[in-house]
Amino acid sequence: MEPVIEMNPEATKWDIREKVWDYIEENNLANFPRPVHNRIPNFKGAFTACAKVPELQVFTQATEVKVDPDKPLEGARLAVLEAQKKLLVPTPRLRTGLFNNIAPPQGASKEQLRICSSSQGVKDFSVPVDLDAKVKVDLVVVGSVAVSEKGLRIGKGEGFADLEYGMMALMGAVDESTVVVTVVHDCQVMDIPEELKESHDLTVDYILTPTRVIKTDCQIPKPQGIIWTKLDTEKLEKIPVLKKLRALEEEAGKDVTLGAAPVAPEPGLQTSQPKRQTRRRPRQKIQQDDEGESKPEKMAESEQKARQWRPTRVRKESRGDGGGGNERGKGQTGENIKEKGPEEGGGEVISQRKLPLSVTTVYLGGIPAGLRVSELKTALREREATPLRLTWQGAQHRAFLDYSDPQAAEQALEALQDLSLNGHSLQAEMAKSQRGGKRSGQSNRRPRPPTAPISKTAPPDTESDTNEKTEQ
């Protein structure tokens, strides 16, 4: 099968990463979190690809499986738990140790196992594994940015997968019999020049995509331990477990000389990512000014900041624009926010409860007809994704969930992936437009309309599909 993405033979690892990230974004091949730049992409079809993990013979024979905490590997973690095998997941950025054993509750249901396989479940149901614990990992599942059919792999540039494998080799947790599998989108399988392979780089034995299972027959040796010259004092300060391993190596008479702080744009285990220009097509956001006129606004240079619109107040709305997308009604800002009058099909409501100065909004679409808001609230509680405020738009089959900050919203999004209610799959993603957003230099106050005095009391708490309903 010919690679979808073709690269110049002289391309660097960062050239390849940027090309893959750009291609996935431009072709809308990823789910949350977006943008995929500087991440292991959570590609569409990840669960389909992960479903191939238990079909491998090595999985059937495995007892202990290590799966990275990346979002696209959630299906692989779930497969390990469902097969009642021991699941080991590295601690995020190795801050508190090497890895944790994920221990679900006794007699856990499939839904509970799904929660355990999520990032929140990894935090809530993890048991730290000591460095001197007897661990033998039979199968390793890693994410990748790019991979070749020959088994060469490129990660996101921070070197954690390579370092984790070297640490496991040092502990005796992996050996030549350990199989390494990566799960990627088909477009991420490409030709990678062998000259880019470095001594610390991890190679893979199997590549799983939504449509293929590729056995690489790679003969290149995997890391046999930690190459200390690839690390520096800054890296050791960020990863305390490395200090312990280095002390053990030093006691054993090994050379543990560290390297100098990296200065090249692409060191093997760099501690920071090089600055670069994103090459995605420019986009514009449309915002309503105080006079109701639309004005284009360029997206911020940082893609993450561009997706974190910050509304200062969120309240009950009327039907908005009546569309089916994940944007709310016309944007307004102000201390006091007025609703459409009854003649316009809405009630007038002012939020009395003070929310944080800024909130991050999540769009929830595909809500089936007949679903009650109480049922949605129950599902949100069960997944530990309860928002500060819920805006219900049953007639448009959607709802908006407001969270205190982007981190809380991201955790909620992860928990809401693959949410299904009344036999319908719901779609959760960041809201495209978050009403009431305040930008630098923009006033958060607007003149009060001269007509229709603002009511101080909310209408009765109903579950009508003709009006929006906001729950706090």
Side-chain angles (χ1 to χ4, degrees):
M1 182 175 177
E2 291 295 322
V4 176
I5 302 175
E6 296 183 358
M7 296 298 302
N8 187 310
E10 298 179 357
T12 66
K13 286 184 179 179
W14 275 102
D15 290 335
I16 294 174
R17 291 182 184 110
E18 291 180 9
K19 188 77 172 180
V20 172
W21 287 328
D22 288 346
Y23 183 89
I24 290 176
E25 278 295 332
E26 290 167 1
N27 291 276
N28 195 28
L29 298 177
N31 294 316
F32 170 85
R34 300 278 293 272
V36 298
H37 294 77
N38 302 312
R39 305 179 190 270
I40 298 297
N42 183 25
F43 60 93
K44 294 180 178 179
F47 259 87
T48 301
C50 286
K52 294 179 169 63
V53 172
E55 297 175 2
L56 298 174
Q57 182 178 358
V58 64
F59 181 87
T60 305
Q61 300 170 344
T63 301
E64 300 184 15
V65 183
K66 179 249 187 187
V67 184
D68 283 355
D70 304 304
K71 178 63 178 175
L73 302 182
E74 188 172 311
R77 295 192 292 273
L78 178 59
V80 176
L81 294 176
E82 288 182 330
Q84 298 184 340
K85 299 179 184 294
K86 187 174 183 178
L87 172 61
L88 300 173
V89 177
T91 57
R93 309 189 76 83
L94 302 177
R95 291 189 187 98
T96 58
L98 178 50
F99 41 52
N100 296 323
N101 175 27
I102 308 306
Q106 191 71 24
S109 64
K110 184 171 182 178
E111 176 62 17
Q112 288 175 316
L113 292 180
R114 190 205 66 77
I115 294 173
C116 289
S117 67
S118 68
S119 61
Q120 187 61 44
V122 168
K123 296 175 185 176
D124 295 342
F125 298 94
S126 62
V127 179
V129 178
D130 294 332
L131 289 178
D132 56 356
K134 298 298 181 182
V135 177
K136 175 59 176 72
V137 179
D138 305 299
L139 176 64
V140 174
V141 183
V142 298
S144 302
V145 172
V147 65
S148 77
E149 293 191 17
K150 295 181 179 180
L152 301 182
R153 171 190 174 275
I154 294 178
K156 61 186 177 184
E158 295 182 332
F160 283 107
D162 309 317
L163 183 56
E164 289 161 7
Y165 195 91
M167 293 167 71
M168 288 191 294
L170 191 60
M171 295 169 55
V174 294
D175 55 28
E176 293 180 356
S177 66
T178 303
V179 175
V180 178
V181 174
T182 191
V183 180
V184 296
H185 191 275
D186 288 280
C187 74
Q188 294 173 260
V189 182
M190 57 193 303
D191 294 329
I192 298 176
E194 293 188 15
E195 306 82 62
L196 295 180
K197 167 73 174 68
E198 299 180 72
S199 57
H200 63 272
D201 286 340
L202 179 64
T203 55
V204 302
D205 303 299
Y206 286 91
I207 303 169
L208 306 183
T209 79
T211 64
R212 306 168 68 193
V213 175
I214 304 170
K215 191 173 186 298
T216 67
D217 295 317
C218 183
Q219 301 299 316
I220 301 175
K222 296 177 175 63
Q224 300 300 305
I226 298 174
I227 304 175
W228 295 103
T229 54
K230 294 286 186 179
L231 304 175
D232 54 51
T233 54
E234 183 182 357
K235 195 76 169 180
L236 260 65
E237 289 299 322
K238 292 182 177 179
I239 306 177
V241 68
L242 280 176
K243 292 183 179 180
K244 298 178 182 179
L245 289 173
R246 186 170 181 246
L248 293 174
E249 287 273 85
E250 195 169 21
E251 289 178 7
K254 302 289 183 66
D255 182 6
V256 292
T257 304
L258 298 177
V263 293
E266 189 185 345
L269 293 174
Q270 62 190 45
T271 57
S272 62
Q273 296 162 353
K275 294 181 179 180
R276 64 179 184 83
Q277 296 289 332
T278 56
R279 290 184 272 175
R280 281 174 289 172
R281 55 193 176 191
R283 293 181 293 174
Q284 290 184 331
K285 292 284 185 183
I286 302 299
Q287 181 196 7
Q288 289 260 338
D289 61 16
D290 285 347
E291 289 72 37
E293 296 178 356
S294 297
K295 54 182 179 181
E297 178 176 274
K298 291 184 179 179
M299 293 190 70
E301 292 181 1
S302 169
E303 290 294 330
Q304 293 178 348
K305 289 183 180 179
R307 292 185 173 271
Q308 295 171 2
W309 295 71
R310 297 176 177 268
T312 54
R313 292 253 180 165
V314 185
R315 81 297 186 223
K316 177 179 174 180
E317 302 176 346
S318 65
R319 296 182 59 152
D321 58 6
N326 71 350
E327 294 188 14
R328 299 196 186 189
K330 300 299 182 181
Q332 296 180 358
T333 61
E335 293 292 338
N336 295 323
I337 304 177
K338 177 178 176 297
E339 288 300 317
K340 287 185 179 181
E343 71 278 6
E344 297 174 88
E348 295 181 358
V349 178
I350 290 296
S351 172
Q352 298 298 316
R353 180 184 300 182
K354 294 203 172 191
L355 294 177
L357 291 179
S358 65
V359 294
T360 303
T361 304
V362 170
Y363 162 80
L364 197 61
I367 294 176
L371 183 74
R372 299 174 65 86
V373 67
S374 58
E375 295 176 289
L376 176 59
K377 289 165 64 178
T378 299
L380 294 175
R381 282 195 298 268
E382 290 176 349
R383 294 188 175 226
E384 298 183 354
T386 303
L388 293 175
R389 182 180 293 230
L390 184 155
T391 301
W392 175 263
Q393 296 182 348
Q396 287 80 34
H397 306 289
R398 64 189 182 188
F400 292 91
L401 316 177
D402 295 329
Y403 295 91
S404 59
D405 53 47
Q407 182 179 5
E410 287 192 4
Q411 291 177 351
L413 274 172
E414 291 186 7
L416 295 175
Q417 295 300 309
D418 306 305
L419 173 62
S420 179
L421 294 175
N422 293 356
H424 291 74
S425 296
L426 275 62
Q427 173 192 1
E429 60 186 40
M430 285 290 188
K432 289 181 181 178
S433 175
Q434 298 185 23
R435 201 180 37 181
K438 180 180 178 182
R439 293 169 191 49
S440 176
Q442 179 182 353
S443 171
N444 190 39
R445 193 181 297 272
R446 73 189 300 260
R448 184 177 298 183
T451 60
I454 298 171
S455 170
K456 297 292 184 180
T457 305
D461 186 13
T462 64
E463 294 187 12
S464 169
D465 279 346
T466 59
N467 293 330
E468 295 184 1
K469 177 179 178 181
T470 298
E471 297 277 343
Q472 289 185 335

